[in-house]
Amino acid sequence: MEFIALIADLPVRLILSNPLGEHRKSEIRRISGQPDFYQCSRFTEKQVFHVNFPIEKLHEFLMKEFSQYRQIDAWGFQYVWNVKRTKKDKILVSKKANELKVEAGAHNRKKSYILQEKMVVPALVDLKIMDSEGNVLPSRYDKFKQINRFLEMIEDVIENEDKKQWNIVDFGCGKSYLTFIVYDYLTRIRKLDVTMTGLDLKADVISACNLTAQRYGYEQLNFKLGDIKDYQSDRDIDMVISLHACNTATDYALNQAVRWNAKIIMAVPCCHKELLHTGDFSGVAMFGAYGLSKERISALLTDNYRAALLEKMGYRVDMLEMFDLSHSPKNILIRAIKCDRKQSQKSKDVIEQIEGHLKVRLTLGRLLEDE
Ligand SMILES: C[S@@+](CC[C@H](N)C(=O)[O-])C[C@H]1O[C@@H](n2cnc3c(N)ncnc32)[C@H](O)[C@@H]1O
């Protein structure tokens, strides 16, 4: 008996009954406050014994535990499950919709995500976030949630646009995991007509991405070799994405987006070095007295400066929390939407204060000035 489908439904509570062994019943629950752990309580007539185990062991644990029982009742996110072992050792599984949407406990899965389980997204399968039937692996559920969150950030913006055709550029696309997922979402799920181009400096990465796009059958997703600052597009660009493009590569991406009048910009800057190395922190000890704090503050100030410049160029800007598929857990996403509103005093102040106190004009400031 395989419990894969039941496990993929992320059960919050399971009761094993109709015993064959020494315990009367076993109850398995998510541990409150520790979403990655389950606790199994085994009941005898007079006592209860507890054992904790990590979420990724649920399958293995359940297989063993069920050898001592004939029945499992389980409450998952989508279904209420009933598993029975007959006297002839046949396993019968039935499930019905979990209409009460049983509280998914520590897992906090109350909302419905943009990508649902069973929607097979090839890149998510390749990333081993879901299996080939679209079941999200419990241990990768957090990643699945984060990717959904990123799609929501895009959806929040495009849902207000009465537009079916989108041209998108992804600058510094690298291995393009999210690019494939975004393309899949917009074309296959949202049914939009999307042409998307990923650009990167690395030839091997570009050819691998083109092969993957072919393998997935993504006809209007292509990858090109080139430098962000030299890239020319023969069509209007509606959205510019740039995730973790290093240091000032982000500034070139933002500059291109502004120049194209792109409606939407989604940028996650990284490797901020410019302000750290060229800013004069001597007059502002509170910003740069100690090594690591200076590095962190420089990065935040740089992103504030970028956000303020985007505002100056007629964008409404939010800063949101973003994740990285490969390494650092937290990052800042600069999301900018073209709205042609007047520049706020706040953004003028940010630019003036950074340039004035730190005696530097950073790349984006210079590029936009050249326009
Ligand atoms: C850290 S990787 C991020 C890849 C991907 N966007 C992601 O988030 O997983 C940064 C990528 O930006 C590319 N890159 C850096 N500067 C670039 C430039 N000036 N033009 C094009 N690509 C650039 C690098 O080659 C690298 O693949």
Side-chain angles (χ1 to χ4, degrees):
M1 163 72 188
E2 289 278 319
F3 291 104
I4 299 293
L6 164 58
I7 304 283
D9 194 23
L10 297 164
V12 206
R13 181 171 175 231
L14 304 100
I15 294 182
L16 291 91
S17 56
N18 214 341
L20 298 168
E22 60 181 305
H23 296 112
R24 187 165 58 80
K25 118 178 152 172
S26 290
E27 180 168 356
I28 302 175
R29 276 180 175 275
R30 288 280 172 125
I31 301 181
S32 166
Q34 287 190 59
D36 293 340
F37 282 87
Y38 280 99
Q39 179 168 75
C40 174
S41 308
R42 295 180 177 124
F43 295 76
T44 65
E45 285 311 320
K46 293 198 176 137
Q47 280 177 297
V48 189
F49 301 92
H50 301 292
V51 44
N52 295 352
F53 60 92
I55 182 170
E56 59 272 16
K57 296 273 182 209
L58 179 61
H59 184 243
E60 193 184 312
F61 190 93
L62 198 54
M63 296 283 276
K64 245 194 215 155
E65 197 72 5
F66 188 46
S67 65
Q68 301 298 305
Y69 295 94
R70 286 198 184 281
Q71 179 165 333
I72 305 176
D73 292 285
W75 287 264
F77 181 63
Q78 295 189 56
Y79 301 106
V80 177
W81 298 77
N82 179 267
V83 181
K84 281 198 173 112
R85 185 200 306 282
T86 66
K87 293 230 160 82
K88 291 190 177 157
D89 243 5
K90 209 170 149 217
I91 306 293
L92 307 173
V93 181
S94 65
K95 61 182 186 197
K96 56 182 189 205
N98 181 359
E99 294 188 346
L100 292 174
K101 286 272 174 258
V102 165
E103 164 61 29
H107 222 55
N108 198 17
R109 282 192 56 183
K110 283 180 213 136
K111 62 187 292 186
S112 111
Y113 291 116
I114 285 187
L115 298 178
Q116 306 266 329
E117 302 212 25
K118 301 288 182 194
M119 284 180 182
V120 179
V121 178
L124 290 179
V125 176
D126 282 351
L127 284 169
K128 300 197 172 22
I129 290 175
M130 57 173 50
D131 66 19
S132 57
E133 287 169 3
N135 301 305
V136 177
L137 307 185
S139 59
R140 304 283 279 150
Y141 192 77
D142 279 350
K143 227 17 111 192
F144 181 67
K145 209 161 69 173
Q146 288 169 333
I147 289 167
N148 266 294
R149 171 93 185 98
F150 181 67
L151 294 179
E152 270 168 27
M153 293 181 208
I154 295 183
E155 180 60 35
D156 282 351
V157 188
I158 62 170
E159 70 181 355
N160 299 320
E161 301 292 326
D162 184 20
K163 197 169 160 41
K164 292 267 170 275
Q165 210 282 324
W166 290 81
N167 295 322
I168 303 176
V169 172
D170 180 1
F171 279 137
C173 58
K175 289 185 183 155
S176 304
Y177 297 125
L178 268 182
T179 321
F180 290 118
I181 296 167
V182 170
Y183 181 86
D184 193 271
Y185 167 65
L186 295 177
T187 54
R188 218 163 45 91
I189 299 169
R190 282 293 256 102
K191 309 266 181 257
L192 297 172
D193 175 6
V194 172
T195 301
M196 201 161 170
T197 303
L199 188 87
D200 205 285
L201 288 171
K202 294 180 191 149
D204 54 339
V205 161
I206 290 300
S207 59
C209 288
N210 276 321
L211 286 175
T212 306
Q214 273 173 24
R215 179 160 62 86
Y216 293 166
Y218 296 160
E219 287 173 4
Q220 298 192 132
L221 173 59
N222 61 81
F223 295 88
K224 291 188 176 156
L225 184 64
D227 192 312
I228 298 169
K229 65 174 180 297
D230 304 323
Y231 183 72
Q232 310 244 344
S233 170
D234 50 8
R235 54 182 93 207
D236 289 342
I237 300 299
D238 307 296
M239 190 189 306
V240 169
I241 297 177
S242 179
L243 307 178
H244 309 110
C246 324
N247 195 18
T248 56
T250 295
D251 298 300
Y252 287 96
L254 297 178
N255 178 53
Q256 291 273 41
V258 170
R259 212 160 41 82
W260 287 326
N261 228 358
K263 179 84 203 153
I264 301 171
I265 303 172
M266 309 279 285
V268 180
C270 82
C271 315
H272 306 69
K273 295 274 182 287
E274 190 183 22
L275 182 58
L276 179 67
H277 294 151
T278 60
D280 178 355
F281 287 81
S282 58
V284 279
M286 65 175 171
F287 282 172
Y290 304 101
L292 186 61
S293 79
K294 181 173 169 186
E295 200 177 310
R296 297 267 165 92
I297 286 172
S298 302
L300 284 170
L301 290 175
T302 304
D303 289 341
N304 266 303
Y305 182 76
R306 288 167 169 152
L309 282 166
L310 290 172
E311 250 198 74
K312 180 177 174 185
M313 302 313 290
Y315 284 84
R316 193 180 78 231
V317 184
D318 301 310
M319 281 202 191
L320 306 157
E321 191 166 79
M322 179 60 184
F323 67 100
D324 180 356
L325 275 174
S326 48
H327 33 92
S328 66
K330 280 181 192 165
N331 280 301
I332 287 177
L333 167 75
I334 300 177
R335 182 175 66 179
I337 297 141
K338 185 81 188 180
C339 62
D340 286 317
R341 73 172 173 201
K342 225 172 129 247
Q343 185 187 12
S344 67
Q345 187 58 44
K346 178 183 72 181
S347 73
K348 286 183 193 165
D349 292 346
V350 170
I351 299 166
E352 266 178 37
Q353 286 173 13
I354 291 179
E355 292 186 350
H357 291 303
L358 302 173
K359 303 187 184 74
V360 67
R361 173 157 294 176
L362 299 174
T363 300
L364 187 59
R366 290 198 303 275
L367 290 171
L368 292 174
E369 197 177 55
D370 292 346
E371 285 304 308

